[in-house]
Amino acid sequence: MKRALLIAACCLFFAGMQAQAAVEQKWATSPLAAVASLGELNLQGAPAVDNAGNVFATGQFTQPISIGSAFLEPIANSAYLAKYDAEGNALWAVALRGAATITSIATDEANNVYIAGTLADAVEVGSTDNSKVQTIAGKPGEIAYHVSSFIAAYNADGVLQATKVIWSEANADVAASGLYFPMEGYPYATINHIEVSNGKLYASALYTGDVNFDDVQWQGMYLNIFDFMYDDISSYGIFSLNAADLTGGASVARIASAEQLQSVQWGPESLNFTAENGTVYLCFVGFGNVAYEAGGTTETMEFSNDADTGMREHAYVVSSISDAGVNTQIFHGTPHASIASYDIVGDMKVEGENLYIGGSFQQSLPFAGETTHTGACDLYAAALNKSTLEVQWTAVSGLDEGNGDALHFYENYTAMTVNNGEVSLYGYVLQDQDNNKTIATTLAYTFAGGTATSSETPLVIGAAQNGTTKALQTVNTTDLTTTLAAYNVSGGAGIQGVTTMTAQRVGNTFYFAEPADITVYDLQGRALLEENNAASVSIDGLAPGVYILSNGKSSLKALKANF
């Protein structure tokens, strides 16, 4: 009887464990001073995790700071890059002294690290080897922060390897027309995301004007306002560089208004991308008539745009670009008349056979046409098959963020991670009333089976995961201090469209229908047992406890009982 009760209790425990991945905090540190206002939160870059479980953090500083043994002194509003080992010890830190902001960070297979951001005037780019320090400069005569962008490459020891600076210029014919009166800070080229894959660094940028460097030649787009003046229209582009030395720039994609110098023009509203094994996956929000250039061809896309009623479509376009060609799927949305666009592609991840996309949307979610937002807008996650770009599943927050007051409350996306098919999505509800912006609620969702499970959390402004290490950068919404924390993450339970690995269990031995490479992990993510091309795996030699068996694409949790 006692044995039967114990087996029943174990089964209940196992079923509970299947609901979500196990997460255990490894360490936490507060490397940054408080930002001065909510508007400065965008100055805090997301963390990154390399293949060894080291965590990289970035941030801004205006007063001298110490990170580990590094003492950093600013010039103006400076930025820093710091590396922490798997135990949370600060290994090194370098400063970007001058008007610099880091907007994205990435690591490669060799655990080198790359940063990108914006700069104005001269910036001293630091290095752990002082002989490698470089001074870079933005567009001559321009002091606005977002006009020029930079990329810097470091090796694993923090030694600066290379830098790259880009900016745009007004089109020569437009500038000479006598009808061009650019606003302050125009034209500009702002890098917002970088990734490294197969020796290439990929970067996306929002830009106006003409961007020309190496083999990249992006044309600026302009609006003709009643033949009285020309105005800049924003476009998006993705380019590649050789990761080793940041040379050899080439255009991967360009998304812009399909019309030049017309009286009514729209264009892309949001863009993000990810890269895997030399394939670039991108998603953008199409608005009006859009020209999409990729793979040596240009496709014109026309989306519903009724100027009389103000009903306009915000479509989601997903595409993969590789040596094999360009595969594109258009997901149409229901037109609406809102002048505020909450259709944001916040992040994209590839895991296994799926491409994951997260962000926010308004009206109908183009990936799931019958799904509509609640309140002002909703956060969403979607999984698409990376080969066919067919939707596998979608889930939304469904939160009425302002108790019906959609005018003054809306959801903002901040970060996303994916763990064995389980999607964690983070954000916050912003209250914008009487010119007083406050954070009403922090948001954290785990998307499972088409539904969203919420949890209480500090405000997460950045997240990254590599293997079993997850890093979160959070902000205390009271005093706006920030914390960087690392976690051991194990499992994922075959939810969110990734099936649980099937096996027949006899005692403590698991038999598989087809031989596979199997790894057995504990709940701290440590690999305890590896079997190659195995038809069966036994956990008899392991201590009693809960273990995860994985073939790299799916997994199952198993309890070895103490009897």
Side-chain angles (χ1 to χ4, degrees):
M1 180 67 178
K2 181 178 179 181
R3 178 183 176 89
L5 290 174
L6 183 55
I7 292 174
C10 289
C11 290
L12 290 173
F13 176 76
F14 175 78
M17 289 296 293
Q18 289 285 65
Q20 60 182 8
V23 179
E24 177 188 39
Q25 183 170 305
K26 299 167 62 177
W27 54 265
T29 184
S30 297
L32 295 173
V35 296
S37 66
L38 294 180
E40 294 186 13
L41 289 181
N42 62 351
L43 301 180
Q44 312 304 321
V49 181
D50 69 13
N51 292 331
N54 301 304
V55 177
F56 296 88
T58 66
Q60 304 296 124
F61 67 108
T62 57
Q63 300 294 325
I65 57 172
S66 295
I67 300 176
S69 61
F71 179 74
L72 307 179
E73 295 186 276
I75 299 175
N77 194 346
S78 300
Y80 76 82
L81 167 67
K83 180 178 181 178
Y84 297 83
D85 67 16
E87 304 304 319
N89 301 304
L91 298 179
W92 53 259
V94 295
L96 282 73
R97 301 192 333 129
T101 300
I102 298 173
T103 57
S104 187
I105 182 171
T107 61
D108 65 11
E109 296 84 353
N111 299 330
N112 300 309
V113 61
Y114 307 81
I115 54 175
T118 59
L119 77 159
D121 204 8
V123 171
E124 180 188 275
V125 183
S127 173
T128 54
D129 179 348
N130 289 330
S131 68
K132 302 294 185 180
V133 172
Q134 294 184 23
T135 297
I136 59 177
K139 185 176 180 178
E142 183 58 69
I143 61 173
Y145 271 88
H146 68 285
V147 167
S148 305
S149 287
F150 73 90
I151 300 172
Y154 289 86
N155 69 13
D157 296 321
V159 178
L160 182 64
Q161 304 295 296
T163 59
K164 186 83 168 184
V165 179
I166 69 168
W167 61 74
S168 60
E169 300 281 359
N171 177 271
D173 292 337
V174 169
S177 68
L179 300 177
Y180 181 56
F181 308 98
M183 295 186 293
E184 182 180 359
Y186 281 68
Y188 60 81
T190 302
I191 294 175
N192 48 29
H193 185 62
I194 59 171
E195 292 200 12
V196 182
S197 175
N198 285 18
K200 293 287 188 180
L201 181 143
Y202 298 92
S204 60
L206 176 69
Y207 75 94
T208 60
D210 293 349
V211 176
N212 295 291
F213 66 93
D214 300 341
D215 289 333
V216 176
Q217 295 181 343
W218 291 341
Q219 180 187 23
M221 303 301 293
Y222 296 89
L223 175 69
N224 182 329
I225 304 178
F226 306 116
D227 292 324
F228 173 71
M229 64 178 293
Y230 295 149
D231 196 16
D232 290 280
I233 297 178
S234 297
S235 305
Y236 283 101
I238 299 174
F239 64 86
S240 66
L241 298 167
N242 297 320
D245 57 9
L246 304 184
T247 62
S251 178
V252 175
R254 174 179 175 265
I255 305 97
S257 170
E259 292 139 354
Q260 180 72 289
L261 297 176
Q262 299 298 309
S263 59
V264 177
Q265 289 173 253
W266 309 102
E269 294 182 300
S270 180
L271 167 79
N272 220 310
F273 79 96
T274 189
E276 181 196 46
N277 295 329
T279 297
V280 174
Y281 302 88
L282 64 87
C283 178
F284 67 87
V285 179
F287 188 48
N289 296 339
V290 174
Y292 172 41
E293 300 175 6
T297 63
T298 300
E299 180 180 359
T300 299
M301 304 172 180
E302 297 183 358
F303 303 113
S304 174
N305 182 6
D306 191 327
D308 293 332
T309 64
M311 302 293 286
R312 300 183 176 97
E313 179 186 9
H314 305 257
Y316 287 16
V317 180
V318 182
S319 188
S320 64
I321 306 169
S322 66
D323 291 339
V326 180
N327 180 23
T328 302
Q329 294 286 343
I330 300 175
F331 299 88
H332 291 281
T334 302
H336 59 82
S338 174
I339 60 174
S341 175
Y342 301 106
D343 290 280
I344 302 297
V345 184
D347 205 350
M348 301 177 68
K349 308 286 184 187
V350 172
E351 184 187 72
E353 296 304 310
N354 278 350
L355 170 66
Y356 297 90
I357 305 173
S360 64
F361 77 101
Q362 188 179 44
Q363 203 61 36
S364 66
L365 178 62
F367 296 127
E370 300 301 317
T371 300
T372 57
H373 77 274
T374 303
C377 58
D378 272 355
L379 299 184
Y380 72 87
L384 283 65
N385 180 281
K386 70 179 184 182
S387 298
T388 65
L389 303 183
E390 295 177 348
V391 175
Q392 306 299 298
W393 57 261
T394 61
V396 303
S397 59
L399 173 68
D400 185 355
E401 58 271 6
N403 295 321
D405 183 5
L407 183 63
H408 297 115
F409 293 82
Y410 51 94
E411 296 172 47
N412 285 261
Y413 165 91
T414 58
M416 178 180 80
T417 60
V418 179
N419 179 57
N420 197 24
E422 181 179 284
V423 176
S424 297
L425 209 64
Y426 303 97
Y428 61 94
V429 174
L430 182 68
Q431 179 181 357
D432 187 359
Q433 199 165 10
D434 300 326
N435 296 318
N436 182 25
K437 294 183 179 182
T438 59
I439 294 175
T441 309
T442 61
L443 304 175
Y445 290 99
T446 298
F447 288 105
T451 61
T453 302
S454 62
S455 60
E456 294 185 3
T457 182
L459 173 59
V460 176
I461 59 172
Q465 184 170 335
N466 191 342
T468 59
T469 300
K470 180 175 182 176
L472 296 180
Q473 194 158 323
T474 62
V475 170
N476 183 308
T477 56
T478 301
D479 60 12
L480 299 181
T481 55
T482 66
T483 297
L484 177 70
Y487 301 82
N488 276 321
V489 181
S490 60
I495 59 177
Q496 291 296 67
V498 178
T499 58
T500 301
M501 185 169 65
T502 56
Q504 181 180 1
R505 181 172 183 172
V506 179
N508 289 323
T509 301
F510 298 81
Y511 296 87
F512 310 103
E514 297 181 359
D517 295 339
I518 304 297
T519 304
V520 180
Y521 299 91
D522 64 13
L523 291 186
Q524 283 69 51
R526 294 173 294 203
L528 305 179
L529 181 64
E530 295 183 3
E531 297 287 350
N532 296 323
N533 198 32
S536 64
V537 170
S538 173
I539 60 172
D540 246 341
L542 301 179
V546 178
Y547 299 98
I548 300 156
L549 283 68
S550 173
N551 61 10
K553 295 182 179 179
S554 56
S555 64
L556 64 83
K557 288 190 177 72
L559 173 70
K560 181 182 179 185
N562 188 18
F563 57 81

